[in-house]
Amino acid sequence: SLVKQEEERPQREAQYAAEKEAASPIPEFDGRVTVEMTVVSIKEPDESAMYPVQKLVLKHRDGWVLYGSLPSALWEVKRGDEVRMTLRVEVSKDDPKFGFYSRPTKASITKKGGE
């Protein structure tokens, strides 16, 4: 299994690079905005953290990606699910297609598509 993953790695990296190139930059939002995005991954907290928090990586249909805290309303979310929430977006200083979200509210799962 590991050998197969290593053999497929160049193809996956090329696919990720092509997706990133095709992605649109994050639009400029004025204040809070409601967005619908797909869950790319769920990051588990560091066990040594004083206040452990799960994080989400979300991808918009235009290709841009956001990273932020998992809202309690989405406790049962799985990778591949589509979610809707109202949040504040801050674009990364290094990449206009990647950003961070904060203060998520009104979160809900709109479509199950998980593993």
Side-chain angles (χ1 to χ4, degrees), residues 18-34:
E19 287 178 8
K20 185 162 176 102
E21 184 67 31
S24 301
I26 298 175
E28 290 190 30
F29 297 114
D30 187 28
R32 298 172 60 78
V33 63
T34 300

Side-chain angles (χ1 to χ4, degrees), residues 9-95:
R9 176 183 262 180
Q11 293 170 335
R12 279 195 320 270
E13 288 177 354
Q15 179 184 1
Y16 295 150
E19 287 178 8
K20 185 162 176 102
E21 184 67 31
S24 301
I26 298 175
E28 290 190 30
F29 297 114
D30 187 28
R32 298 172 60 78
V33 63
T34 300
V35 293
E36 289 191 25
M37 302 182 80
T38 303
V39 177
V40 175
S41 70
I42 302 169
K43 306 288 184 185
E44 294 298 323
D46 183 9
E47 291 181 15
S48 65
M50 183 177 250
Y51 302 105
V53 177
Q54 287 183 311
K55 301 287 187 170
L56 289 179
V57 176
L58 303 171
K59 186 173 187 177
H60 192 266
R61 67 178 172 268
D62 292 338
W64 44 273
V65 177
L66 294 178
Y67 178 80
S69 300
L70 173 71
S72 60
L74 299 180
W75 195 253
E76 296 181 2
V77 74
K78 301 271 190 249
R79 188 173 155 204
D81 290 351
E82 291 182 18
V83 298
R84 175 186 300 134
M85 63 179 115
T86 302
L87 41 80
R88 183 178 308 262
V89 176
E90 180 182 338
V91 180
S92 170
K93 295 173 184 162
D94 301 328
D95 184 357

